[in-house]
Amino acid sequence: MHRTSLALLLLFAPSTAAATDLRIYPAFTEVQQPASQTITIPSAQWRWIQPNSFSVSGQTPAVISWQPTELDWLRTQEGKRVTWVQAGQPAVQAVLERADDLLLQLSTGEYVNAQRSDLAFSEKPPVQGSVTLRLSSVNPANNSTLLYRTQALFWTPRYELNLNGAAANLAALAHITNISDQVFTAGRVDLFGGSVQQQYQPSPELMMPIPASNVPPENGNVGGGTVMVAPTAGAPNQIRSLGEVQGLQRYALPGGLTVGRGESRTLPFLTPQVRDFIRYANVESYFDAQNRSGQASRQYKFTSSQSLPTGLVDVRESGLLVGSVLLPAVQAGKSVDLNLGADSELRYEKTVKRTALEKDAKGQVVSSTYQVTYNFVSTKTTATRVNVREQLDGRNVSVDGQAPQNGQVVLNRQVSVPAGRKASLAFKLEIVN
C-alpha cells in the first residue's frame, strides 16, 4: 500500500490506524506514519494515545496542536438557533453565541453555558470524540514521518518448556494484543523485549465526551478473540532476532501485520536450544536456633542459547502441565532457575542442636556451636536431588571446622533422596558473636 493511500485510510476510515511502521513494546506501541498538515484521529484511536508523544521526523521540528474535531463544526453554528434540552426540564430555544465554551443566549435574553450532550441542532453534527491534529510547516514532499505512542497495542512473550525424560525443548510465542476499537495495519513491524521507562502519560482529556459505545468493558476485552497463527510447514520462523539495542531485544516480523479491533494474535517466535537441563528440589533457609519443617520446592534449571525477554512459561512433563510460572529475562549462555512451587511428596524436618557454648570471664557468650540436621522423607516415584541453601550472618562463622568467614555466609549442601525413602544431611556451625 502506498503512503498516500495509507494517509487517506487514516483520514476517512474512523476505526483504522494507517501506520507504515509499528514498533511494539510490552506496554505500548510506537506508530510511524506519513505526516500531513491535518490529520483527523477518531475517538477509538485517540483515547489510547499518549498525547505528549507526538513528534515529526525528517524535517525541522514542527508546531503540533490538536483539538476536538467537532469544535470546528460548532464554530460554524455560532449565531444559529439550537434547542437546549435538560433532563426533566422543558426544551428551551436559544442561540449559540460562542462555540468554544458553548455559551447560549436564551430567548429571554439571558446567557448560560450548556453541556454538549444537552444541545440539539438543526444540522447533523460530526461524530463526537474525534480529534484534529495539525502539524505546521509540514511539506508532504519531504516524506516527513509522524511518530506517536499508543497503549492500545502491546505484546508479551509466552514460552512452552516441554520435557520428556532428559530431553528438553523450549519454544517461544509472541502474543500481540489490541484492546481498542481500531485496526492496526503495517508493512513493517518490530517487537522490542525489555523494560522501557516512561514518565506517567495520562490519557488525552477530550473536550467532547466519548460515546459510550467506544468505551471498552472493564476486563479490557473489546471483542474479537485470540488467533493462533501456525507456521507454514518448512518455512523459517516468522519472527527473527535483530540483536540487542541498548539492553532491549529487537525482533522483526516479516510480511507485515494486521490486527483487528479487540483481537489478540499469537505468533511463532524463537526456538532457542536448551542445554544442561536438570530437575532438582530446593530448600532455602535463614539460620536460627529454631527447629523447622516444610516442603521442598520443585526446581528446573537450564541454559538457553538465546537471550529471552521475560514472560510466562508453561512447563509440561510428557505433555502434562506441571507449572505455569514467570520466566525471568534470560541472558544467552547463562543458566536460569524456575521455581514451580512446593512439592508435597518431598518433605523435610530441620533440627538445630547447640553442642557447645563458650563464654568469657564476664559470663558473656563468645561463640556458639550448632549441629544442623535436615531429614528428608520422599513419597515420590523417582529419586530426587535436593539442594539446601542455608544463609547466616555472623561476625565470624566456621562451617564444619573450616577456616572462619566474616559477614554473610551462604552454605550449599546436596543430598540424593531415593524414591519412597529417606535421606539426611548435616553440618556444624561455629558462630562467634
Side-chain angles (χ1 to χ4, degrees), residues 113 181 303 330 335 358 363 371 405:
N113 293 102
D181 280 344
T303 300
V330 176
S335 63
E358 182 181 354
Q371 179 76 17
Q405 305 177 53

Side-chain angles (χ1 to χ4, degrees), residues 86-294:
Q86 292 181 287
Q89 301 293 327
V92 176
Q93 297 300 312
V95 173
L96 180 62
E97 288 291 327
R98 194 165 58 222
D100 287 27
D101 59 351
L102 298 179
L103 180 67
L104 305 182
Q105 184 180 25
L106 306 180
S107 57
T108 60
E110 299 172 296
Y111 292 89
V112 66
N113 293 102
Q115 297 292 324
R116 169 63 185 85
S117 58
D118 294 339
L119 295 181
F121 299 89
S122 58
E123 299 178 21
K124 184 179 180 180
V127 176
Q128 296 183 48
S130 62
V131 171
T132 298
L133 185 73
R134 291 184 171 88
L135 312 175
S136 68
S137 305
V138 169
N139 185 352
N142 292 338
N143 294 323
S144 300
T145 300
L146 174 67
L147 297 89
Y148 61 90
R149 295 188 291 275
T150 175
Q151 294 170 282
L153 186 68
F154 51 88
W155 84 289
T156 52
R158 285 178 46 199
Y159 301 96
E160 294 179 350
L161 179 61
N162 293 295
L163 310 167
N164 192 349
N169 176 265
L170 180 64
L173 303 170
H175 189 68
I176 301 173
T177 302
N178 176 13
I179 59 174
S180 71
D181 280 344
Q182 69 183 97
V183 177
F184 287 92
T185 298
R188 176 177 175 179
V189 179
D190 286 349
L191 305 180
F192 288 84
S195 176
V196 177
Q197 293 188 10
Q198 292 190 100
Q199 297 296 323
Y200 172 70
Q201 293 278 354
S203 299
E205 295 293 337
L206 299 182
M207 294 174 61
M208 309 301 170
I210 299 174
S213 61
N214 287 334
V215 179
E218 291 183 1
N219 62 11
N221 185 7
V222 184
T226 299
V227 179
M228 172 69 80
V229 180
T232 304
N237 289 338
Q238 287 186 264
I239 299 176
R240 69 178 187 273
S241 175
L242 297 181
E244 178 261 352
V245 182
Q246 293 298 314
L248 302 177
Q249 292 86 41
R250 185 177 185 178
Y251 311 96
L253 176 59
L257 179 70
T258 295
V259 185
R261 52 183 297 177
E263 180 182 355
S264 292
R265 178 167 296 204
T266 301
L267 305 173
F269 190 22
L270 307 174
T271 54
Q273 298 298 311
V274 174
R275 59 180 176 85
D276 303 330
F277 172 76
I278 57 172
R279 303 173 183 85
Y280 71 99
N282 190 57
V283 174
E284 294 191 6
S285 178
Y286 286 89
F287 175 79
D288 58 28
Q290 302 298 316
N291 295 334
R292 301 189 183 280
S293 62

Side-chain angles (χ1 to χ4, degrees), residues 33-53:
Q33 67 184 58
S36 58
Q37 293 183 346
T38 302
I39 299 175
T40 300
I41 303 176
S43 61
Q45 177 182 354
W46 175 254
R47 68 187 312 270
W48 300 103
I49 288 175
Q50 297 178 1
N52 295 326
S53 66

